[in-house]
Each structure stands twice: as structure tokens, then as C-alpha cells.
Amino acid sequence: MTTVSALTIASGREAHLKNVIRGFQTQTHPPVELIIGVMQDSDYTDLPTTDFPIRQIRITGPELPLAAARNAVADAATGDVLVFVDVDCMPDPEFIAGYLACMEGQSGLFMGEVLYLPSGATAQGLDFDRFAGMAVRHSDRQGPPAAGLERCPDYRCFWSLNFAMHRAGWQAGPGFDERFTGYGGEDTDFGRALSEAGIPIWWIKGGRVYHQYHPHCMPPVHHLHSVLRNTEVFAAKWGHRTMEHWLYAFQLMGLIRNTASGLEVLREPAAADIALCEQQGHMPYANSRRVIDHLHQVAADRRHAPDRVAELRRAQDSLLMPAAE
């Protein structure tokens, strides 16, 4: 039987982590281990009882070491297949089985389904049938294929909250670039590195997780400085910036401007900026497009939508340059 290592990384979010562990305990194809990359000063305690061992690896730094933590848990894994989930993503009972069905005989990186739960969905415990009836897809993310797997032609679609690789593929691959610290860009960089190496990226039908509700900001205005730093790390490596939709939103908000010598911070985010970008209780997820549309004040007139889309694309593309020297 194919062995599978389950991997996650976490800082805080203890209640979310416990639900992730409970989700892995329900698997029809159980993992041989769960490895947690602990991005805080102490290990987690009082975790749910499982039929598989749980290991905790401490990776800390002045800012969230997301890239280093993913590398650490993957390098420590022993399974034939590695499945990665973020700490807020509960795996459906068929999560591992769904991945294995699509990965057999294939190589590369595989991305499973993500559905978003509303506030309070987990208050009465884990009920995956109920979750399936209430969860929604992200409006700006491509859905899974009707069946099996489908090649993803654009590395920018890679999202690290739910993916899998054969361990041999991971070991032969580039790993996450640990120069990315704090929030933003490390997963896009990883996708680009895979693409440059000719390693395929796949969407799959299955491998479903349910994203647990928690308020956050999108665009991530609360991570302004790490986004700006990381987009320049990406630019120095690949010749152009990334996360241009977030940069464009920051520019519209009057937080930054693009100059010949790089991105310049004009002011720090204020409470009003946080309020604009923050997920509200009725929203299953935060959405950068909502914020950009609000800032454009175009929601009431869709007649010019095609022109607006083209203008938006040009404006965002302009933020890809100049690349950092």
C-alpha cells in the first residue's frame, strides 16, 4: 500500500489545527504520520488522539518562515506521497484516497479542491456531509476538472494551501526558496521554479479540503511590508515582480507608488484600510477583486466591464516592472 505523510505548518490557530488532525483521523486511506511545522516558540499540546504518530518540528524566525517550514516538514517525511494542507484546511475523509487515485502513474505537483465554510460551521463538530452542503468555491479560483486530472498551464495558479507530490518528486525538485519570509510570494515562486524545470502542475477532481472560517484581509494590507519585500525578491530572481493584483490594490489605496528605483511606501495602512479589506462575517472568504471594484466604483455600471478588465490588466502589468536591481 502506498504510504502517505500528512504535512501542515502552523502558528497559533490551535482550534483549527485540532480540526485538521481530526480530519486526518477520518481518512479512508490513513496517513502513516502527521508532521507539523511549528512556527512559534512552543509545541502544541493536548492534541486529539490519532492512530498515526504526530511529530512537531520547530521552525521560528522574526517573521513567519512559511517557506522554511514547508521545506522542513517535507524533508522529514517518510511516506511515498506527501500531502500538504494549511492549518485552516480540514481534509475530507476521501482526501488522501482522492489524491492517490489521480497521482498513480503521474509525476509533478497536484492541487486538490478547496471549499470555503461560513462562520460557525464547525461549532458542532465535524460533519462532512453537512459541510458539503454549505461550503462554496472561491469565485476567483479555477474549479476542478469534471473527473481525474487536468494540466494547469499557468504556474501562477499554484496555491500552497492544498497540494501533493510524490516524495521522490519533492526530493528532486527545487523546494521553497527560504529567502521569502513573512507573507506572500513563496508559493508563486515555487510554482515558477517547477514550471522552469519542466515539472507539470495538475488540477485534480478530489483531494478536497474545507477551509475553516477566520477573518482575514484580502488584499493582505496587514502584511504590506512583507509583500513588498517578497515581490522584489521574486523580481531579482525572475526579472519581474509578482502579486501585482495586490500591489495594484495598495496603489489604489494610496499606500504605495511605483518608481524607477522600486516600490515606495507612501503611508502605513490605517484602520479604514483594514476595514475595507477585512473579511466580514457573512463572507466565506475575503476577495481582492471586491476591494478593487469598490475602489474603482464600478459596481453600479457593468456596461463598461470589458474595457474595465483590459484597463485593470494594463494597470496591474505596469507594476510588474521595473524589476529590482
Side-chain angles (χ1 to χ4, degrees):
M1 184 172 75
T2 301
T3 59
V4 177
S5 294
L7 310 173
T8 192
I9 60 176
S11 175
R13 306 280 185 86
E14 182 176 345
H16 285 170
L17 176 62
K18 289 181 177 180
N19 283 338
V20 170
I21 294 170
R22 294 182 183 110
F24 278 118
Q25 178 63 18
T26 71
Q27 295 301 296
T28 58
H29 185 121
V32 296
E33 61 186 351
L34 169 64
I35 307 177
I36 305 168
V38 178
M39 301 179 293
Q40 59 187 27
D41 293 334
S42 58
D43 286 354
Y44 291 90
T45 59
D46 193 29
L47 296 177
T49 300
T50 61
D51 296 326
F52 49 83
I54 297 176
R55 288 192 280 158
Q56 301 190 53
I57 299 175
R58 198 94 52 86
I59 313 99
T60 58
E63 292 190 81
L64 281 176
L66 301 174
R70 290 196 188 99
N71 286 342
V73 295
D75 290 343
T78 63
D80 303 318
V81 168
L82 314 181
V83 293
F84 298 74
V85 298
D86 274 1
V87 71
D88 50 15
C89 293
M90 297 180 295
D92 180 86
E94 295 294 328
F95 170 78
I96 289 177
Y99 264 118
L100 294 181
C102 292
M103 294 173 68
E104 185 176 2
Q106 300 286 349
S107 64
L109 179 147
F110 303 81
M111 297 185 293
E113 303 176 43
V114 181
L115 293 177
Y116 288 78
L117 292 170
S119 178
T122 62
Q124 299 177 358
L126 273 60
D127 183 338
F128 289 99
D129 290 336
R130 184 166 59 89
F131 293 162
M134 68 172 60
V136 299
R137 299 194 186 283
H138 198 296
S139 59
D140 293 342
R141 298 290 296 175
Q142 179 174 326
L149 72 170
E150 179 181 293
R151 184 75 176 261
C152 174
D154 188 346
Y155 71 87
R156 294 174 297 179
C157 293
F158 170 59
W159 210 4
S160 55
L161 79 172
N162 174 17
F163 73 101
M165 298 183 74
H166 296 282
R167 183 160 62 98
W170 167 265
Q171 292 172 333
F176 285 86
D177 188 334
E178 297 183 13
R179 290 177 294 176
F180 290 85
T181 57
Y183 188 88
E186 84 289 342
D187 46 2
T188 306
D189 173 80
F190 184 65
R192 174 67 179 268
L194 293 179
S195 180
E196 293 290 328
I199 299 171
I201 300 174
W202 304 93
W203 299 104
I204 74 162
K205 177 65 174 178
R208 175 180 291 183
V209 299
Y210 292 95
H211 185 278
Q212 302 176 76
Y213 177 90
H214 60 91
H216 66 292
C217 289
M218 197 55 64
V221 66
H222 55 312
H223 292 299
L224 173 68
H225 290 279
S226 68
V227 168
L228 298 186
R229 182 183 65 250
N230 285 344
T231 197
E232 299 294 13
V233 172
F234 188 97
K237 184 173 180 179
W238 301 112
H240 62 85
R241 299 188 186 110
T242 187
M243 301 180 284
E244 63 272 18
H245 56 308
W246 294 349
L247 300 180
Y248 181 59
F250 296 158
Q251 180 176 267
L252 287 177
M253 296 165 72
L255 299 175
I256 67 169
R257 68 180 175 189
N258 195 19
T259 74
S261 58
L263 295 168
E264 178 184 350
V265 176
L266 299 177
R267 65 177 179 86
E268 295 298 316
D273 302 310
I274 300 293
L276 173 62
C277 300
E278 190 170 31
Q279 180 180 4
Q280 303 301 311
H282 66 282
M283 302 175 184
Y285 53 84
N287 191 336
S288 297
R289 179 178 294 183
R290 175 189 66 85
V291 172
I292 291 172
D293 280 352
H294 173 80
L295 293 168
H296 277 174
Q297 297 182 341
V298 297
D301 186 357
R302 298 296 182 187
R303 290 176 299 174
H304 301 298
D307 293 337
R308 181 183 67 84
V309 169
E311 179 183 351
L312 178 62
R313 186 175 294 112
R314 287 193 296 271
Q316 291 182 357
D317 286 349
S318 71
L319 283 158
L320 292 173
M321 296 297 198
E325 293 295 335

